[in-house]
Amino acid sequence: MKYISTRGNAPARTFTEILLGGLAPDGGLYLPEAYPQVTRAELDAWRNLSYADLAFAVLSKFATDIPAADLQAIIARTYTEKVYSNGREDSDFTQITPLRTLEPGVHILELSNGPTLAFKDMAMQLLGNLFEYALDKQHAELNILGATSGDTGSAAEYAMRGKRGIRVFMLSPNGKMSAFQRAQMYSLQDENIHNIAINGFFDDAQDMVKAVSNDHAYKAAHKIGTVNSINWGRVSAQIVYYFKGYFAATKSNDEQVAFSVPSGNFGNICAGHIARMMGLPIGQLILATNENDVLDEFFRTGSYRPRGTDHTYQTSSPSMDISKASNFERFVYDLVGRDGAKVREFWSRVDAGGAFDIKDSDYWDELLRYNFASGKSSHYDRLKTIRELWEEYGVMVDPHTADGLKVGLEQRRPGLPLICLETALPAKFEETIVEALGRKPERPVALEGIENLPQKVEVMDADVATLKAFISAHVPI
Ligand SMILES: *Cc1c(COP(=O)(O)O)cnc(C)c1O
């Protein structure tokens, strides 16, 4: 299996060659040159597999340059009950991603039982083990530099902690995250994890990361890399739970289902699109946005019109507050019949701050054939959904999952079982839960009192030279 760029001008690469990188050299995103197909016989054989065995079956179609025994061992180490048992006490952790049925035909797929209580652990934990394996083979090291306002940074740190050959330098806005989020990250005492609290906002931290990454000589000398959401390893790991959720919600492989996905950077739902392209019987993919509705607008009107960062709203489902959906280009590449020149044309407009529109072209008819639906949710909707779920089913959901449920229930095609992806646990978003229900969410036992643990964090002004000096002092060259 080789990987090609959505912009059509980069050499084909293997899975391990693109694993540690980011964008393709032509500025595009990597995708398989053709999606591997899953036969009916395979679907039947996969139906009762454990999560780890299913993950191996799916991922061995993508990571073809990793010896099977090695891949199997990495996956077996990753998807264990021990790692994914931080959720509700009444969950069946042996399933890794248990299905919670609210009523016949309406389900929540639990993806947030990992160490940081968000679905990003599902892919990031695998990435940590894959990185360690690949670096070991190449006798290489990697220094991951990133900026976070919460979920991604903590998922990356919990995945990379204690890993050979890897250091993490994670910037976060000083004093701007919740006490729980701060405790989650800053209480890590591992030698290879460096938390840096920047006196400024998230955008200041992000700008510092960009400045260091644009200094190509410094970046090469210090082996700087990233783990952002366009990483193909992350997307591929997310394909697995669409299969797992499908099997859990159906009795036979003749049935179709709908998935509803709280979306930001289009990474999660892109994995669903690929699962469907492989042959999983998904009748409908429902995309949910919050007030930042750039993707909902595209699926309703055919116009993709990213907003500037100064037109991004801060909402109560903050992990979906995006202005540009970094993985969306992967779907558009398929939509335009894998025409790299067309993608280049569209993104030359997007990268210049503009937009593109497919309404009056054949691509619009093509889009309808993909069976997407979309909708948006507001702060009011979110609180209402959290309250209704609590009152009707005694189930507490986080604000992002609430957005997915609201839009999923509204948009699903009658007759299709609905599987809503749970992207975080309510314990991460205490304030909004208190606003909706007048009570605090339960916290997994292991995380009780986490705010009282000693913290390790470097406070720094938003100054690139200071950051470089800090990294240099911790990276032997
Ligand atoms: C990252 C995240 C999302 C958005 O997922 P994408 O893959 O960026 O679409 C939604 N909810 C939560 C809780 C997240 O952390």
Side-chain angles (χ1 to χ4, degrees), residues 53-69:
D53 289 345
L54 180 62
F56 176 65
V58 173
L59 291 171
S60 54
K61 290 183 180 282
F62 292 102
T64 50
D65 62 333
I66 300 181

Side-chain angles (χ1 to χ4, degrees), residues 2-305:
K2 285 282 178 89
Y3 292 84
I4 52 174
S5 165
T6 51
R7 302 210 183 166
N9 277 337
R13 293 271 181 256
T14 67
F15 185 88
T16 37
E17 282 168 349
I18 62 171
L19 183 64
L20 299 169
L23 291 175
D26 63 355
L29 280 68
Y30 286 110
L31 270 180
E33 54 192 351
Y35 293 120
Q37 294 300 302
V38 177
T39 63
R40 177 60 195 249
E42 277 175 312
L43 270 189
D44 291 343
W46 290 3
R47 177 161 275 278
N48 295 310
L49 294 182
S50 69
Y51 194 93
D53 289 345
L54 180 62
F56 176 65
V58 173
L59 291 171
S60 54
K61 290 183 180 282
F62 292 102
T64 50
D65 62 333
I66 300 181
D70 292 355
L71 184 64
Q72 193 157 25
I74 292 166
I75 288 172
R77 250 190 300 135
T78 305
Y79 295 112
T80 66
E81 201 180 323
K82 188 158 171 281
V83 176
Y84 294 95
S85 54
N86 300 287
R88 299 175 177 85
E89 277 167 53
D90 66 343
S91 294
D92 179 4
F93 297 132
T94 63
Q95 297 300 307
I96 309 297
T97 60
L99 190 77
R100 183 174 291 271
T101 298
L102 298 177
E103 60 180 55
V106 183
H107 316 272
I108 293 177
L109 187 65
E110 295 183 21
L111 302 177
S112 312
N113 299 328
T116 74
L117 314 186
F119 85 102
K120 292 196 170 67
D121 290 328
M122 290 303 304
M124 204 70 94
Q125 288 286 323
L126 179 70
L127 207 63
N129 289 326
L130 283 171
F131 274 22
E132 188 176 49
Y133 171 82
L135 291 165
D136 232 24
K137 284 220 142 172
Q138 301 164 15
H139 306 290
E141 290 192 352
L142 181 68
N143 296 300
I144 294 169
L145 176 63
T148 188
S149 53
D151 291 341
T152 311
S154 58
E157 291 188 352
Y158 279 76
M160 305 297 165
R161 60 187 298 199
K163 293 277 186 286
R164 279 187 310 276
I166 304 175
R167 292 182 200 83
V168 177
F169 296 89
M170 191 58 67
L171 278 55
S172 50
N174 192 15
K176 306 283 192 305
M177 297 188 299
S178 72
F180 179 79
Q181 284 178 314
R182 284 200 300 271
Q184 253 190 328
M185 291 177 58
Y186 303 166
S187 67
L188 291 180
Q189 300 293 333
D190 305 75
E191 244 174 70
N192 70 329
I193 303 294
H194 301 281
N195 280 300
I196 304 169
I198 299 298
N199 290 322
F201 294 93
F202 169 72
D203 286 336
D204 299 314
Q206 181 94 309
D207 287 345
M208 291 170 76
V209 169
K210 280 188 196 148
V212 173
S213 299
N214 287 336
D215 182 342
H216 298 287
Y218 184 91
K219 191 180 168 195
H222 294 82
K223 305 180 183 70
I224 305 268
T226 55
V227 284
N228 49 25
S229 75
I230 57 150
N231 179 287
W232 169 254
R234 282 180 65 180
V235 176
S236 65
Q238 292 173 344
I239 296 170
V240 178
Y241 52 70
Y242 282 88
F243 282 87
K244 184 77 178 151
Y246 171 79
F247 293 134
T250 58
K251 293 209 161 51
S252 104
N253 297 326
D254 297 322
E255 294 174 52
Q256 291 209 333
V257 298
F259 279 97
S260 113
V261 189
S263 294
N265 272 318
F266 205 81
N268 202 358
I269 198 164
C270 186
H273 159 69
I274 295 170
R276 179 161 60 181
M277 298 294 276
M278 293 170 74
L280 187 67
I282 300 176
Q284 201 186 19
L285 274 171
I286 304 170
L287 178 140
T289 70
N290 63 16
E291 291 88 336
N292 297 291
D293 61 351
V294 49
L295 288 169
D296 175 42
E297 181 176 80
F298 173 78
F299 284 97
R300 278 187 301 103
T301 70
S303 164
Y304 182 61
R305 203 170 50 88

Side-chain angles (χ1 to χ4, degrees), residues 367-438:
L367 181 65
L368 299 181
R369 278 194 281 279
Y370 278 96
N371 282 316
F372 272 88
S374 77
K376 66 191 273 193
S377 172
S378 66
H379 182 68
Y380 173 85
D381 297 324
R382 207 164 292 138
L383 298 187
K384 184 163 170 277
T385 305
I386 292 171
R387 264 195 301 269
E388 285 172 359
L389 264 279
W390 181 242
E391 281 161 14
E392 282 175 43
Y393 308 104
V395 174
M396 213 183 267
V397 293
D398 99 290
H400 307 79
T401 309
D403 288 339
L405 275 154
K406 184 255 177 191
V407 174
L409 289 167
E410 214 169 64
Q411 297 288 335
R412 74 156 158 165
R413 227 164 49 221
L416 286 187
L418 176 67
I419 303 170
C420 297
L421 300 192
E422 171 204 74
T423 54
L425 283 192
K428 290 198 92 161
F429 302 96
E430 220 166 79
E431 265 179 44
T432 305
I433 300 298
V434 169
E435 189 181 344
L437 302 177

